[in-house]
Amino acid sequence: MNERHAGAPGQVKEVTSLANPLVKDIKALALKKFRDQQNAFMAEGLKLVIDALDLGWQIRTLVFAKAGRGNAAVEKVAARTVAAGGTVLEVSEKVLVAITRRDNPQMVVGVFSQKFLALKDIRADNGDVWVALDRVRDPGNLGTVIRTVDAVGAKGVILVGDTTDPFSVETVRATMGSIFAVPVARAATDAFLAWRGGFSGLVVGTHLKGAVDYRSVDFSRGPVLLMMGNEQQGLPESLAASCDRLLRIPQAGRADSLNLAVATGIMLFEIRRGALKLEPIPGQQ
Ligand code: SAM
C-alpha cells in the first residue's frame, strides 16, 4: 500500500495493492455473508453515488480511479464523503477491476450502509401502491422490479419469505440507481400476512389461474398492494388466499407465463395509469 495520508476515517488514501485490508473488505462485499456482517453494499458509478448522497444514504467508503483525480465532480463527491465521516480511496485500475470484477469498471464506487424499512413503518395512503414479491430468486428480476416501482412512482417493495438479496452487486446494478429511491422492506410470510391484515386498501395478487382480467379492475380508490409470485412456483395458497382478487394478464401464443419483472411492469403501469400524466410527444399532439 502506498498511502498518501494515514489511516482513520475521513481521510484520503492512495491504494495500489490488492492485499490492502480496506480493499479486501470491499471485495468481500460480493458475498452476502460479508455484506450482512458489514451491513454494507457497493454501488458503481458517479451519478449513482451522487444520487445516493442526495437521498441521505450513509456512505462509508468512496473508491475512485486515479483518472478521477482533478475531475471536479469526483472531487466534490470525495469532499462530501469526508464531510460525512467516510473514507476516500484513490486506487489503481487493477484495484478497481478487482473490486468491481469488471474489465471496464466505472471510475467511482461507493460503499454504503444497508437500509431496510420496517413493515410497521409502512403508511399506505390513497393512491399509494406497494409491491410484495414472494420469494423472488433472480437478482435481475428484483432489480428490474425496483427500477420499475421507481419509474411509475409506486411507494416501495416488500420482500416476502426467502428472497435474493436486494443489496447484491447484480441486483443493485439492475436497479440502475433506483435502489436508493425505493424503500425495501422484508418479512417472513407469517409476519407479512399479519401486516396484510391491517392493510386497508385493495390487495390484488397475480396468478396464472386468476379469474379476473387485470384490465377490468378499478384501482383508483385507496391504496393498492400488488402481490407477485415466485418465478418457479407462483403465489403459494397462503398468500393467494389473502388477496381480495386474483388477476390474470391474458396471453396469446405458447408461452406458459410472463417473466416476473415483465408481469410486474404491466401491472404497475395499469394500476398507476391514472396517475401517470405523460407530456405529449412533440409533433404527435
Ligand atoms: N410456473 C409459475 C406459476 O405456475 O405461477 C410461473 C410464475 S411466473 C414466471 C412469475 C409470476 O409472474 C407469477 O407468479 C405471477 O405473479 C406473474 N405472472 C406471470 N405471468 C402472468 C400472467 N399471465 N397473469 C398473471 N400473473 C402472471
Side-chain angles (χ1 to χ4, degrees):
M1 176 174 148
N2 169 16
E3 290 196 354
R4 239 194 317 157
H5 305 278
Q11 299 180 324
V12 181
K13 297 173 192 170
E14 195 176 314
V15 180
T16 55
S17 167
L18 295 178
N20 179 288
L22 294 172
V23 171
K24 281 186 165 174
D25 278 354
I26 299 173
K27 276 181 67 189
L29 294 174
L31 296 178
K32 181 166 182 346
K33 177 178 157 194
F34 293 108
R35 285 196 296 278
D36 289 349
Q37 261 174 25
Q38 298 182 37
N39 191 37
F41 70 106
M42 188 170 92
E44 300 150 283
L46 180 60
K47 181 180 179 304
L48 251 70
V49 172
I50 293 171
D51 286 351
L53 292 175
D54 289 347
L55 288 165
W57 285 70
Q58 189 199 335
I59 190 160
R60 296 189 184 177
T61 308
L62 178 80
V63 182
F64 73 88
K66 272 195 173 63
R69 196 189 285 180
N71 175 316
V74 173
E75 297 209 332
K76 196 168 168 199
V77 171
R80 289 179 76 180
T81 303
V82 171
T87 300
V88 181
L89 305 180
E90 184 188 305
V91 303
S92 60
E93 173 85 2
K94 181 181 68 175
V95 169
L96 207 55
V97 166
I99 286 174
T100 58
R101 295 160 196 255
R102 287 194 154 188
D103 287 342
N104 293 307
Q106 301 258 9
M107 195 163 52
V108 169
V109 169
V111 175
F112 293 89
S113 299
Q114 295 186 14
K115 208 159 56 176
F116 283 99
L117 180 69
L119 269 189
K120 66 174 173 50
D121 292 333
I122 294 179
R123 303 267 165 275
D125 296 324
N126 281 355
D128 288 357
V129 179
W130 284 85
V131 177
L133 296 176
D134 158 50
R135 296 165 301 154
V136 55
R137 304 304 309 171
D138 183 84
N141 278 343
L142 176 54
T144 304
V145 168
I146 291 172
R147 182 180 178 184
T148 310
V149 162
D150 185 11
V152 301
K155 289 293 167 184
V157 172
I158 304 167
L159 302 176
V160 183
D162 188 17
T163 70
T164 194
D165 183 2
F167 296 113
S168 72
V169 174
E170 298 83 359
T171 307
V172 170
R173 273 182 194 152
T175 71
M176 298 293 288
S178 294
I179 188 69
F180 296 113
V182 173
V184 176
R186 59 182 165 174
T189 306
D190 289 352
F192 171 75
L193 284 170
W195 173 85
R196 180 268 173 268
F199 187 86
S200 58
L202 178 66
V203 181
V204 290
T206 54
H207 203 288
L208 301 186
K209 297 199 176 99
V212 181
D213 186 320
Y214 80 110
R215 295 164 296 188
S216 67
V217 179
D218 178 5
F219 293 108
S220 67
R221 272 176 259 143
V224 175
L225 174 62
L226 169 66
M227 276 192 221
M228 305 297 301
N230 164 270
E231 290 98 332
Q232 272 79 44
Q233 291 152 22
L235 277 181
E237 189 45 39
S238 59
L239 292 182
S242 77
C243 294
D244 298 317
R245 310 239 184 116
L246 287 181
L247 311 184
R248 182 151 33 119
I249 305 167
Q251 296 181 202
R254 290 178 54 83
D256 288 336
S257 65
L258 292 160
N259 161 274
L260 167 65
V262 170
T264 309
I266 291 171
M267 289 304 305
L268 283 174
F269 273 88
E270 181 67 19
I271 294 169
R272 295 278 299 156
R273 190 150 51 102
L276 292 170
K277 296 187 179 58
L278 297 179
E279 294 296 319
I281 297 168
Q284 294 197 0
Q285 289 122 349

